[in-house]
Amino acid sequence: MHGEHTDERSADSACVIDVDELPDGLVVTDRDGHVLAVNRAATRLTGVTRDQAAGRHLRDVFSFHDHDGRDWWKWFDTYGGLPTRSRQPELPLRTPGGQEMLVAARLVRRPERGGEIVRVVITMRDAGARARLERSRADLVSTVAHELRSPLTSVKGFTATLLAKWTRFTDNQKLVMLETVNADADRVTRLITELLDVSRIESGRLEIHRQVVDIPARARKVIAGRVAAGEPEDRFRLEVLGELPETWLDQDKIDQVLANLLENAVRHGRGTVTVAIEPNEWGVTVSVRDQGEGIPPELATRVFRQFWRGNARRRGGTGLGLFIVKGLIEAHGGTISVQRGPEGGAEFRFMVPTGTPDFA
């Protein structure tokens, strides 16, 4: 028995990874540039199969050019440079069809240091992901600048006016100005909080501190807050459908999810906003729906992206709320989706598992 286990461990340790399992495109050539292998990801990126490429020169099947139109393989110059050269850093290159990819290469030498080149291993990735990230960062800077400019201008203007002309204003006028300053300061604080949440979600540093959470009670609290802020009480309806299991969740983050979804329904929807809570096979389902125009099916996949505001940009907001909601729900091991509600409006439905307590 002991020998059998040893053999199994030896077999596992000797396992060779299939190049088709790699997430990035991979092309291997011999020292002269003739293709030896092409993995599935490379075929998906370029449309060139291993059968089409095998034995042919790289330039004939994977014709990469830089932004100046230079042939990559030619200026890569396999045999040029120092004999210790072993790699080509990742660069943005284009295919003849105009597709932009990030391409890197490694020179395999035997012996490893200073030996003859025996193979060239080339990796490729779609540059679209990086372009989207750069656009996202540019959007973030633009959004932050825009959202901060207005309240900070207001705070600065009212503060300077009060300091310069304090005795000229009545107490009521001073109160109005200070209330405006306070509201604009709250707006800046909310934006900073949202940006910190986005940063934690994107970096995977979001921490969940679980405790037993009464979801209906949290929903009542959030609704009460909306009513206290001036919304009519009959604008909201809470429905609890069935006996709910015990859920271990992060109470503050569930409050944040519910608050963002209610804010979204009030701002972009119409009519009564209904919060329906019911059990499911593995936890609890919460639906927040309104009676507005709803969200077209073709836009359903976009609503959880950063800065998405649909056609309601004029109604304000940073466009980060639903992105944060999705990140918070997924951090709990749950899911969230949007669909057309039974009364025509948008219905945001999230499911969270019963969960387990944190003992760490």
Side-chain angles (χ1 to χ4, degrees), residues 10 24 30 46 50-52 76 81 86 92 94 104 109 113 121 143 155 191 214 227 287 301 308 337 353-354 360:
S10 299
D24 293 338
D30 63 16
T46 64
R50 57 170 60 93
D51 291 337
Q52 292 171 327
F76 175 51
S86 61
R94 286 196 174 100
R109 297 178 180 272
R113 295 184 60 82
V121 179
T143 298
V155 168
L191 176 60
D214 183 339
V227 173
S287 299
T301 58
W308 188 88
S337 61
T354 54

Side-chain angles (χ1 to χ4, degrees), residues 29 32-33 57-59 71-78 120:
T29 75
D32 297 317
H57 197 279
L58 182 80
R59 285 179 299 189
D71 182 291
W72 174 74
W73 180 263
K74 186 174 182 179
W75 65 256
F76 175 51
D77 190 11
T78 312
V120 181

